[in-house]
Amino acid sequence: MDQALPILITGAQVIDPASELDETLDILIADGLIKDIKPVIEPTPEMLVVDANDLLLCPGLIDLKVKTGEPGSEHRETLQSAGISAAAGGITTMVIAPDTDPVIDDAALVEFIARSSRSKAIVNVLPAGALTKGLLGKQMAEIGLMSEAGAVMFSNGDKAIDNADVMRKVLSYAGAFNALVSCRPEDANLAGSGVMHSGELSSRLGLKGIPTAAETIAIARDIALAELTGGRLLIDQISSATGVDLVRKAKSKGLEVYASVSIHNLTLNELDVGDYRTFARLSPPLRSEEDRQGLIAGLIDGSIDVIVSAHDPRPAEEKRLPFAQSSAGACGLETLLSGALSLVHNDQVELNCILRAMTSNPADLLGLSAGKIKIGAPADIVLVDSEKPWVCDADKLLSKSNNTPFDERRMQGLAVATLIAGNVVHDMDGIFRQEQQ
Amino acid sequence: MPSDSYFFAQPHFLRIAGLNRLEVISLLDKADSYVEQSRRRQKTSDRLHGLTQINLFFEPSTRTQSSFEIAGKRLGLDVINMTVGSSSISKGETLLDTAVTLNAMHPDLLVVRHGASGAAELLSQKVDCAVINAGDGTHEHPTQALLDALAIRRTLGSLDGLRIAICGDIAHSRVARSNVALLNLLNVEVRLCGPPTLLPSDADRWGAEVFHNMDEAVTDCDVVMVLRLQSERMDSAAIPSKREYFRFYGLDQSRLSHAKPGALVMHPGPMNRGVEIASDIADDLSISLVTKQVEMGVAVRMAVLDMLATARNEAI
């Protein structure tokens, strides 16, 4: 694609959650930026004109929780394959979790991820740094140096920090750099060797359950520590209705507490485990339908700020095992948008609300200029056919691992084309290619 | 062959949940006839001659494995025992690799015991033969439930309207899950009793009444089933000591006196004497069905093997 060529996208339904814009407009893209937004822009001969009638145009999605296997487990996923999956799913920016091998816990490794993704990944990649050395939850990592090197947030991967004093120090210290501290709320002792939501279904299946209290205890503790230290806390992948209540209360007190939810917890429940489907073995586990409804309510009232794909690809050999022996995790990049749209089609959430949680909200949390459709913003854009029906087939995922709990599910709506800084990185129907000829 | 597969159209035998009353009763009726065959001097028939049965045990087992082996041999099957814990698994082979390997040897019946819940189900999706669940983790042990029902039916004539207490380590028991499902099908009033740490909090939704006091639980019961304390499946101690457990949940004469006069006592074995059951009860043949349970085990497994093999044969 010729980068210098200005692109004029005409007739799209432009949706910008940040400004609550929702109308049919033309958009001009040049030099990697959005140059103009008007009801009608007159094309000039040098422009590539793309007719986007019947399509939605919204900011490219920003995904705060993506795991690849690079470095260390490239057989699961590489930055390159994750980038291709993300582009196909309408995601233009992904934040890479630090739980790799080695763990991203110093500035050199942050730079390594940033540098190698520039040459390998077709979407924007932002590294998250580890909160503690080796993610062991004991000694604080070099948050300041990693921040300078480009880490946009800090997390302890999928492990909670067990020691409340370490968590306190991390939140307090990170405050000096205004760094966002993300933490998975799970009491490790209470979760134990549990493999699914603790309830009637788990006891019938004879599978060890993870009680909701394992999450609420951790959330309550971390909120108390955020209040104590004044740190910025992102509660990562909340899964229970009672957890949402705790966040709601913390926000009403004016604390800088935010929450994310995985698309899987938002759209599926424990029943998807069915007869020991390991594709539905996730962490946090899929919980009850009441929990799912509580998560949706939290998304609508703003208690939950961000929807993430929780992309954590697992190859067949980790999933073709008895349920309790399989590993937790699923691909999410390619199904994030479609999964979220299913909530719109079911009349559970407004389109604007779900898009905000995947664009402007995560952008604001990280202080990014992307995630908005406005003049001067980077042209990170996704064109969406929100109605198109399709059937999810795990084997056809572009990821290196082919597992998703949405496997065989009927979906509606997907990303037709994705642009990053004006460059076309995904073009399902060739609308940009055809127009150019 | 007689056309009795009408009553049993299941391709596998993985769990009680999912069977209907008719299937259960026809299995028990068939097992009845095999009790008689097993008591004759000439015990072996050639009913399933030429078919191959593989017993695939990923967990050590003496009684269940030998019961399935004898059941198969009495039907004329070629029976092969594989105790996998000692061979391939330690070389890193997965359950499904083992399944594919065995499948290539064309067995007709595959009897599986595995420490993970759902393992038999997973295996059944990947092989061509009939899979019989001989216990998967803490999920189900369906032939045990059938043999318990048969032992009661042959002793008391019928299960209809009986009141049965299942006591002990319910949480880790696949036997309890299968039994609750089966006894519900047969119109039995089921009670579950154990300390709260050994009873799933929602067990009351299984179709059973939940008790934490053993004396209350056995009151007016026709049968008391005692389960083994499975310390090997516990992550951390769910009870303070075996001594305390016996004091509150062990079955002894005084506790049993609350049950109906002549009430029967059952145990799936192996027993921890002095932990969940007192020796004098276990050894009293007038009230203990323990050895009868073992005898019924062979007959019930013959019935299951026969039903599955016959149903498969007629489907072809």
Side-chain angles (χ1 to χ4, degrees), chain A residues 308-386:
Chain A
V308 296
S309 72
H311 186 73
D312 186 5
R314 298 287 163 171
E317 64 267 23
E318 293 182 36
K319 285 292 186 184
R320 290 178 53 189
L321 291 168
F323 195 87
Q325 295 170 3
S326 68
S327 52
C331 296
L333 291 168
E334 291 164 70
T335 43
L336 171 63
L337 178 63
S338 301
L341 285 173
S342 73
L343 299 174
V344 178
H345 292 304
N346 295 341
D347 292 327
Q348 289 173 305
V349 191
E350 299 277 323
L351 180 62
N352 221 29
C353 175
I354 58 151
L355 286 178
R356 189 181 305 123
M358 297 187 291
T359 57
S360 57
N361 277 0
D364 291 347
L365 275 179
L366 301 185
L368 304 177
S369 57
K372 294 170 186 74
I373 302 287
K374 64 175 187 190
I375 294 170
D380 292 357
I381 281 172
V382 58
L383 286 166
V384 179
D385 181 341
S386 65

Side-chain angles (χ1 to χ4, degrees), chain B residues 106-122:
Chain B
H106 300 293
D108 302 282
L109 296 150
L110 191 57
V111 178
V112 186
R113 165 165 292 190
H114 197 282
S117 302
E121 177 111 27
L122 177 66

Side-chain angles (χ1 to χ4, degrees), chain A residues 58-299:
Chain A
C58 38
L61 309 187
I62 299 171
D63 188 350
L64 293 189
K65 186 71 185 270
V66 175
K67 282 210 247 178
T68 75
E70 190 169 344
S73 307
E74 284 83 355
H75 64 291
R76 286 183 186 150
E77 192 83 292
T78 59
L79 289 165
Q80 185 184 18
S81 62
I84 293 167
S85 298
I91 294 162
T92 50
T93 299
M94 53 184 189
V95 176
I96 301 293
D99 21 8
T100 46
D101 182 14
V103 169
I104 309 303
D105 62 0
D106 76 33
L109 285 160
V110 169
E111 275 167 16
F112 165 78
I113 294 286
R115 188 163 14 98
S116 58
S117 54
R118 270 198 293 279
S119 60
K120 290 176 184 164
I122 55 174
V123 301
N124 302 317
V125 170
L126 302 173
L131 280 171
T132 59
K133 284 255 192 256
L135 299 178
L136 298 174
K138 295 196 171 96
Q139 194 198 337
M140 206 186 330
E142 292 165 335
I143 292 172
L145 290 175
M146 282 192 281
S147 237
E148 275 186 356
V152 291
M153 58 188 264
F154 294 87
S155 90
N156 214 47
D158 275 337
K159 288 185 221 154
I161 294 177
D162 281 344
N163 186 323
D165 185 51
V166 173
M167 186 65 187
R168 173 193 179 172
K169 290 192 169 102
V170 158
L171 271 168
S172 166
Y173 186 80
F177 303 92
N178 201 28
L180 182 66
V181 171
S182 160
C183 209
R184 263 297 300 283
E186 187 168 274
D187 183 286
N189 290 316
L190 203 49
S193 54
V195 294
M196 69 176 289
H197 174 59
S198 177
E200 190 185 352
L201 190 64
S202 68
S203 69
R204 274 180 192 275
L205 290 173
L207 293 173
K208 202 158 278 181
I210 302 174
T212 307
E215 173 169 299
T216 44
I217 287 172
I219 292 176
R221 183 200 75 169
D222 289 350
I223 287 175
L225 293 173
E227 187 169 15
L228 179 68
T229 58
R232 293 177 74 211
L233 175 67
L234 171 65
I235 294 170
D236 182 27
Q237 295 179 63
I238 197 166
S239 70
S240 66
T242 41
V244 174
D245 291 339
L246 291 169
V247 174
R248 189 175 291 128
K249 219 167 136 191
K251 287 193 169 199
S252 71
K253 277 194 195 167
L255 301 179
E256 270 211 85
V257 170
Y258 309 94
S260 72
V261 63
S262 135
I263 188 64
H264 301 127
N265 289 96
L266 205 52
T267 51
L268 305 170
N269 65 27
E270 58 178 337
L271 297 178
D272 285 282
V273 170
D275 286 332
Y276 305 99
R277 272 180 82 220
T278 56
F279 279 9
R281 169 132 197 241
L282 302 171
S283 175
L286 297 174
R287 295 202 184 272
S288 69
E289 178 60 14
E290 294 85 74
D291 284 315
R292 193 182 77 87
Q293 295 293 344
L295 294 171
I296 289 174
L299 183 67

Side-chain angles (χ1 to χ4, degrees), chain B residues 16-75:
Chain B
I16 298 293
L19 294 183
N20 62 42
R21 186 180 158 89
L22 194 60
E23 286 166 332
V24 166
I25 289 179
S26 60
L27 273 171
L28 291 176
D29 290 346
K30 188 169 252 315
D32 253 332
S33 71
Y34 285 127
V35 175
E36 308 315 322
Q37 179 182 327
S38 293
R39 285 176 181 173
R40 291 202 298 262
R41 184 159 185 278
Q42 179 52 259
K43 300 175 182 64
T44 307
S45 73
D46 58 359
R47 186 163 166 77
L48 299 180
H49 178 74
L51 302 188
T52 304
Q53 169 191 344
I54 298 181
N55 293 339
L56 182 58
F57 278 61
F58 291 88
E59 279 188 335
S61 154
T62 315
R63 62 183 66 214
T64 306
Q65 185 170 343
S66 50
S67 181
F68 268 108
E69 182 176 358
I70 290 170
K73 286 181 170 162
R74 288 196 178 152
L75 291 167

